Amino acid sequence: MLDLTRLFENNRAWAERMTRDDPAFFLERSRAQTPHFLAIGCSDSRVPLELLSGAAPGEMFVHRNVANQVFPADLNVLSVLEYAVEVLRVRHVLVVGHYGCGGVQAAMDAGQGQGLGLVDNWLGDVRDVQRRHRDELRALPTVDDRFNRLVELNVLHQVVNLARTPVVQSAWARDATPLLHGAVFDVRDGLLRSLVTAVDGNDKADALIPLA
Ligand code: CO
């Protein structure tokens, strides 16, 4: 188990290893970052976006929050998005959800009257997604199937939310970047599965969610 002492020891060993492999590694990165990706994922400790994708320092700009939400009024995610798109000119923006997401689970349970406090407010959009797709979800045979599907639907809705931000709209008016993607990570086998890829305009974004 990682404790605080180990954390700093690990860091020192990592920095030494990186420098041994490439003496200029940190010096080069201290000058600028040129990532091609912005990844928006869940805060869950089992979903380390750089680790699971092999992204080295400098290759991935990252934003994480509970249940990988992209709220149109969230200054935090919007600031990250604006900087990534307007300044860093990332080519790809990925929303990464994950099966077994506690945030999505909490949103499902909230309908059963189990309040969790502040996070309930944060998860309002996931509950909206659940309501909007009630018929599709109810038709699935098990609770696990419904949970997994809600995780996927949540990712698709967040990709649509991304597409509708002023940042992405004005970027698309300029050229067809960034490309938006949605994927889901499976904490049981470590694999990332693509749900939707290369959304580069409003037609594709609008087609993501069947009208419910
Ligand atoms: Co999660």
Side-chain angles (χ1 to χ4, degrees), residues 20 83 168:
R20 199 165 49 238
Y83 189 75
V168 169

Side-chain angles (χ1 to χ4, degrees), residues 42 44 67 98 101-102:
C42 183
D44 194 303
H98 68 102
C101 182

